[in-house]
Amino acid sequence: MKLEDIIKERRSIKRFKDIPVPIDTIQSLLETSTWAPNHKMTQPWRFVVVHGDSRLKLAEATRAFMEGKEKDPEKKKAAGQRGYNKLIGVPMFVAVIMEENPNPMTREEDYAATSALIQNFSLLAWEQGIGMIWETYGMIHSMEFREALGVKPGEKIVGSLHVGYPDMIPAPRPRNAIDQLLTIMD
């Protein structure tokens, strides 16, 4: 498969088959993904892979977050259960965590490099028939979620990647034409 085809055919996957993704496959994809452009080679990233029964800890953290967010006491349990169900239905999570450099310029460059790493991972996974969606929901900032993943002070969760074999692949969504986006200066 050509890289151009992988880029155009990749989709964000929200529904997964109940088939585990081999850990050694994920490790290999992450190893290659770290070849993202990274100014000053700070390599600010680390990863936490959550699969199997360890997903329960994340699902429970999500339940607590969603219940705490719901203002209506009668809806708290239902909101918590929806959050729990959403996360427990994902075969694997790959949390991409970045050390937040105190220098704002370096921190911005590190965020860009970490985002490039996630894109690399997404394309490499797609090439192997593995789908994912890059999530940055509000709970990644909650104490419960950060503790469940072992995120330390001074670290930022750049993405919670939901990873698995696609159960459904959505149709492509249109993109703006390049002539609407491009300015050429001679």
Side-chain angles (χ1 to χ4, degrees):
M1 197 182 245
K2 289 174 47 180
L3 181 57
E4 177 182 0
D5 295 331
I6 294 169
I7 291 170
K8 289 180 178 178
E9 293 174 13
R10 185 215 53 83
R11 300 286 176 270
S12 294
I13 302 300
K14 295 181 181 180
R15 291 179 34 199
F16 302 96
K17 293 179 181 174
D18 190 19
I19 301 170
V21 178
I23 286 289
D24 59 335
T25 299
I26 296 303
Q27 285 179 277
S28 176
L29 296 175
L30 288 170
E31 177 69 34
T32 304
S33 297
T34 64
W35 287 82
N38 180 216
H39 189 233
K40 298 184 184 173
M41 289 301 293
T42 56
Q43 301 180 66
W45 43 68
R46 71 182 185 89
F47 314 97
V48 177
V49 175
V50 181
H51 68 115
D53 289 342
S54 63
R55 294 173 305 146
L56 294 170
K57 192 173 181 181
L58 274 189
E60 287 298 343
T62 303
R63 180 194 312 269
F65 175 78
M66 296 302 287
E67 284 180 1
K69 199 170 120 176
E70 177 58 54
K71 304 238 187 284
D72 186 340
E74 293 180 19
K75 295 180 181 177
K76 280 186 180 291
K77 282 206 184 289
Q81 191 62 43
R82 276 193 309 278
Y84 178 92
N85 291 346
K86 179 181 177 182
L87 263 72
I88 206 65
V90 176
M92 176 183 284
F93 298 90
V94 177
V96 181
I97 301 165
M98 180 191 91
E99 181 182 341
E100 293 187 290
N101 192 293
N103 179 311
M105 179 62 90
T106 303
R107 188 169 51 248
E108 187 173 316
E109 291 168 348
D110 286 349
Y111 185 80
T114 304
S115 296
L117 177 146
I118 293 171
Q119 176 70 357
N120 284 354
F121 180 82
S122 175
L123 296 173
L124 290 163
W126 193 258
E127 181 183 41
Q128 294 196 27
I130 299 167
M132 62 157 270
I133 187 167
W134 177 358
E135 295 277 357
T136 55
Y137 29 68
M139 72 185 151
I140 65 173
H141 304 287
S142 75
M143 187 183 322
E144 297 91 351
F145 200 79
R146 290 175 61 85
E147 285 177 1
L149 290 172
V151 179
K152 302 173 212 151
E155 291 184 321
K156 173 186 186 71
I157 301 171
V158 176
S160 175
L161 313 181
H162 298 192
V163 179
Y165 293 102
D167 189 34
M168 185 195 91
I169 298 174
R173 294 171 62 186
R175 300 295 199 260
N176 293 334
I178 195 67
D179 62 353
Q180 297 173 341
L181 306 170
L182 178 64
T183 301
I184 299 174
M185 300 173 73
D186 290 324

